[in-house]
Amino acid sequence: MQVDRDLDKVGVHCAIKDCNLLDFLPNICQGCQGQFCLEHKDEKEHKCPTPVVKIGGTTVTCDKCESILPVPVNCFEKDILLIHLKKGCPKKTTVNQHKCSFCPKMESIKIVCPNCKNNFCIKHRFERDHKCKPRVNPPLQQTISPHLQNLLSQLRNSKPVKTNS
């Protein structure tokens, strides 16, 4: 009969040699990629050579780098942290780089007061919050070297140059 031969092509036989059951909905193992019947689908039942590490839904946070580490089912949090530290715990990345001039707080963005030109945190960003004292700029004459002052005075006293336009 032709119909009996076509049914053999539809399903998959269980990878366990002693079972060899024809299954129309085989279970594929995530570890060894073998196809198994319902009875042998568990890793323990078919003695999987490469079982998948299952995550038990718990995590542990490293105190040094603040990385969140998954804890497998039959492991302890301390063991996972020790392995993480032995592999080389990455340094904590610092996002907060701008120090407030009024308090020790750090901010990730630079907030400069337009009046006093100092950097502040969100809490002290307004002039009334950081007791703003405007910077007094020295007169222009004090910031220019004597040599440049002499040149400027000569330019001021010179006659304008006429152009042929």
Side-chain angles (χ1 to χ4, degrees):
M1 295 185 128
Q2 186 69 20
V3 177
D4 291 337
R5 291 184 192 155
D6 289 337
L7 286 176
D8 286 341
K9 296 176 185 174
V10 175
V12 176
H13 290 277
C14 180
I16 301 292
K17 291 179 182 176
D18 292 340
C19 177
N20 203 26
L21 178 72
L22 180 64
D23 198 337
F24 296 106
L25 294 172
N27 296 286
I28 299 172
C29 176
Q30 297 296 319
C32 63
Q33 303 299 315
Q35 295 182 342
F36 300 97
C37 65
L38 187 62
E39 185 181 341
H40 299 111
K41 71 175 183 174
D42 292 329
E43 293 169 348
K44 291 178 184 176
E45 293 296 325
H46 69 267
K47 298 175 184 164
C48 184
T50 55
V52 177
V53 177
K54 294 182 181 174
I55 298 184
T58 59
T59 58
V60 63
T61 304
C62 177
D63 294 331
K64 292 184 179 181
C65 68
E66 295 183 1
S67 295
I68 299 171
L69 308 168
V71 179
V73 175
N74 294 323
C75 293
F76 295 105
E77 292 178 0
K78 290 179 183 177
D79 296 337
I80 299 300
L81 280 173
L82 286 172
I83 292 168
H84 171 73
L85 292 171
K86 284 180 183 176
K87 284 184 179 178
C89 179
K91 290 183 178 179
K92 181 181 174 184
T93 56
T94 55
V95 176
N96 301 334
Q97 301 173 11
H98 306 286
K99 187 181 181 309
C100 178
S101 298
F102 195 74
C103 71
K105 191 171 181 183
M106 302 286 275
E107 289 291 339
S108 59
I109 57 171
K110 192 170 188 175
I111 304 170
V112 178
C113 173
N115 200 12
C116 66
K117 308 290 188 231
N118 288 326
N119 189 57
F120 295 98
C121 65
I122 297 289
K123 185 177 177 183
H124 299 115
R125 69 185 182 270
F126 297 116
E127 294 174 8
R128 66 179 179 272
D129 296 330
H130 65 263
K131 300 175 187 171
C132 185
K133 293 178 183 171
R135 281 189 178 170
V136 178
N137 290 332
L140 187 60
Q141 295 296 326
Q142 291 179 0
T143 59
I144 299 174
S145 68
H147 176 69
L148 287 175
Q149 286 180 9
N150 188 20
L151 287 173
L152 283 172
S153 64
Q154 286 176 4
L155 282 172
R156 286 186 195 122
N157 296 332
S158 67
K159 294 180 183 177
V161 177
K162 292 184 182 179
T163 59
N164 295 335
S165 345

